[in-house]
Amino acid sequence: MTDTTTRELLAEAAARAADYLSALPERPAGPLPGAVERLTEALDGPLPAGPGSAEAILDFLDEHGSPATVASAGGRYFGFVTGGALPATVAAQVLAAAWDQNAFSFVSSPAAAAFEATALRWLKQALGLPMQAEGALCTGATMANFTCLAAARNKVLADAGWDADRDGLFGAPPVTVIVGEEAHATLYKVLSLLGLGRERVLRVPADGEGRLRAEGLPAVKGPAILCLQAGNVNSGAFDPAAEAIAWARESNTWVHVDGAFGLWALASKEQESLAEGFREADSWATDAHKWLNVPYDCGLALVRDPAALARAMSISGAYLMTSAHRDAMHYTPESSRRARAVEVWAALKALGRAGLAEMIERHCRQARRMAEGLAAGGAEILNDVVLNQVVAAFGDDDRTRRVLAAVQDAGTCWCGGTTWKGRAAMRISVSSWATTDDDVERSIAAILDAHRSC
Ligand SMILES: *Cc1c(COP(=O)(O)O)cnc(C)c1O
C-alpha cells in the first residue's frame, strides 16, 4: 500500500471512530436491534480465497460491527464495572497501534520501557503504595492476581526452604490459602492455575456486605497466603484490612489484595478511608481498564518485594538480572506483549491527581444518587452504597429478573443481573468517565419505567 492510501485509511478509521463515539449519547446501551444477527450472518462465510482491500475491511467493520457493539464506551452502561475509555487513552492506543512496539524487553522497545517505568511510578504515587514495589502490566485483574500470587506462593515456600520455581509443587510443604467467602470467581481460577487448588482453600465467612469477618481468620502454621478484597464486585465493600493484616503479621502470612476496581478508592481523599489499611499488604492487583478508564485490556500487579516478583516471573528461571535496563519480561507472565503502559500513562497524564480523585468521587456520588432515586421509586437497595456499586431488587426474584430484562430491552441504560444474599438483583456499577448527571437521571427514570410496567 502506498503512503497516501495508508494515510487515507487511517483518516477514514479515525473519522468512523469519532462518528461512533459521537453517536453514543443517543444510541441504545446494548447492540442495536437485529445487529448481532446481521453481523453473525455477514461473518458466516469460508476463509477468503484471496486478499481483500483494507478500505472494504474497514467498511465492513463499521457497517456490521459498530451497530452490534455494546455501548460500554458510553455514559449509560453500568454493567460489570466495565469503565469507559478516556479520549486521551483512545488516541494514545491508536498511535501506539501504529508503533506496534513489543514491550517484552528494553531493547525491543526502549520507548515502551520508558512509558512503563513512568506509568508504574505514577500508579504508586496515585494510590500511595510503597515506591519500592515492582510491578507488571498484564491483561487484567485475573492475570494481575495470578502474577502477585505466583510471587506469594514462591516466596512463602522459599521461606520454608522449598524452591517452587525450580522444583514445582510436588513434595512441597503445603501452602495454606485463605480467602473471604465473597472472593471474586476469577480468584479461584487463578489459584487452580497456580496449583493451589480451587477447593482446598480456607474460606472465611463474610458479613452481610460481603466483608470477610476478621474474627473468622484461622490459626495457621507454615507457609500461608491471605487474599483480601478491596471492593466487592456486588456491594463495593472492603474487607477489614487493618485487622486482617495485623493477624497476618503474627504468622508471617503473605497478604495479597484483589482490588480490581476498589483499590482506586486510594486515589481519593474522600474515599480512601475505606481502603487505607490495604497499603500495608504485600501485593496488590488492580485493573486499569475498569476505573482508570483506559481501553481494553490492562491489568496492573504490584509486589512490595521486587525480588519476590522477579523470582516468580523471571524468564531465565534465575532472578539475577543480566541487563543494565529493566526488562519487563522478568516481571510479567507474558513475554511478547503490547505497550499497555502508553494508555496508563496517558490516562494519568490526562487526569492528574486531582482529576483522578474527582472522577472517583463523582462516580461514588452518582451511585448514591442512583440508589436514592431508585429507592424513592420503590426499589429495594440491598447494599450499603459505600463506593460506586448499587445492588437493587424490585420485589421477588421473578419480578426483579423481569425488570432487568425490560431495562435491557428498552436500551436507555444497561445494568447486569446478579445474585446477592440469595436474591436475584440488578447490579449497577458507575465507573465511566462519560457518565453525566443527566445520564444518571435518565437511567433512574428508565429503570423506574420498567419497574412500573412489570
Ligand atoms: C473484574 C474483577 C476481577 C477480574 O478482572 P479482569 O480484568 O476481568 O481479569 C477480579 N476481581 C475483582 C474484584 C473484579 O472486580
Side-chain angles (χ1 to χ4, degrees), residues 69-386:
T69 56
V70 170
S72 48
R76 281 170 284 108
Y77 187 84
F78 303 107
F80 308 103
V81 208
T82 292
L86 292 157
T89 67
V90 178
Q93 197 178 46
V94 170
L95 186 56
W99 293 348
D100 192 26
Q101 296 293 283
N102 187 345
F104 87 101
S105 71
F106 180 84
V107 286
S108 65
S109 178
F115 279 108
E116 185 158 326
T118 299
L120 286 171
R121 188 172 77 248
W122 286 3
L123 170 72
K124 289 178 274 188
Q125 289 170 345
L127 301 180
L129 293 174
M131 291 311 289
Q132 87 268 14
E134 184 50 272
L137 282 80
C138 47
T139 49
T142 303
M143 284 313 288
N145 280 321
F146 175 89
T147 303
C148 292
L149 287 171
R153 181 195 65 181
N154 290 12
K155 176 66 164 70
V156 298
L157 283 171
D159 289 349
W162 185 267
D163 187 343
D165 177 54
R166 194 186 60 199
D167 299 324
L169 294 181
F170 299 102
V175 178
T176 307
V177 179
I178 306 152
V179 304
E181 195 179 27
E182 275 283 335
H184 196 265
T186 55
L187 195 71
Y188 292 100
K189 173 167 157 180
V190 162
L191 292 171
S192 109
L193 289 173
L194 288 167
L196 296 170
R198 290 176 199 249
E199 296 297 329
R200 66 178 282 290
V201 297
L202 299 180
R203 287 190 179 81
V204 178
D207 68 12
E209 293 299 317
R211 292 177 292 235
L212 154 166
R213 289 181 191 273
E215 67 271 22
L217 288 164
V220 293
K221 270 209 322 277
I225 302 168
L226 169 64
C227 300
L228 294 178
Q229 185 165 252
N232 178 286
V233 80
N234 286 307
S235 69
F238 290 70
D239 285 342
E243 283 163 271
I245 292 175
W247 165 89
R249 291 295 165 253
E250 284 169 20
S251 53
N252 198 28
T253 296
W254 180 294
V255 180
H256 169 67
V257 178
D258 176 3
F261 61 98
L263 204 64
W264 293 96
L266 289 172
S268 146
K269 284 271 170 286
E270 260 175 38
Q271 294 295 325
E272 76 173 340
S273 62
L274 287 169
E276 230 164 355
F278 288 90
R279 290 192 174 116
E280 306 310 314
D282 298 295
S283 59
W284 304 265
T286 191
D287 265 322
H289 57 219
K290 286 180 177 166
W291 222 348
L292 186 60
N293 277 256
V294 308
Y296 283 94
D297 47 25
C298 187
L300 300 159
L302 287 172
V303 176
R304 182 184 291 275
D305 172 4
L309 178 60
R311 211 177 278 131
M313 290 295 150
S314 163
I315 203 157
S316 60
Y319 55 92
L320 292 174
M321 304 304 162
T322 45
S323 166
H325 299 288
R326 180 184 184 276
D327 290 322
M329 63 182 168
H330 295 307
Y331 304 99
T332 56
E334 305 92 350
S335 179
S336 297
R337 64 199 181 106
R338 69 186 197 90
R340 294 187 175 83
V342 171
E343 296 115 45
V344 173
W345 173 85
L348 293 170
K349 179 88 174 161
L351 292 167
R353 201 183 274 285
L356 179 59
E358 188 279 326
M359 182 173 75
I360 302 291
E361 286 158 16
R362 173 166 24 104
H363 293 155
C364 296
R365 172 176 60 71
Q366 288 172 331
R368 291 193 297 272
R369 169 62 199 140
M370 190 76 95
E372 173 198 275
L374 293 179
E380 194 184 342
I381 304 303
L382 302 182
N383 67 321
D384 274 350
V385 182
V386 293

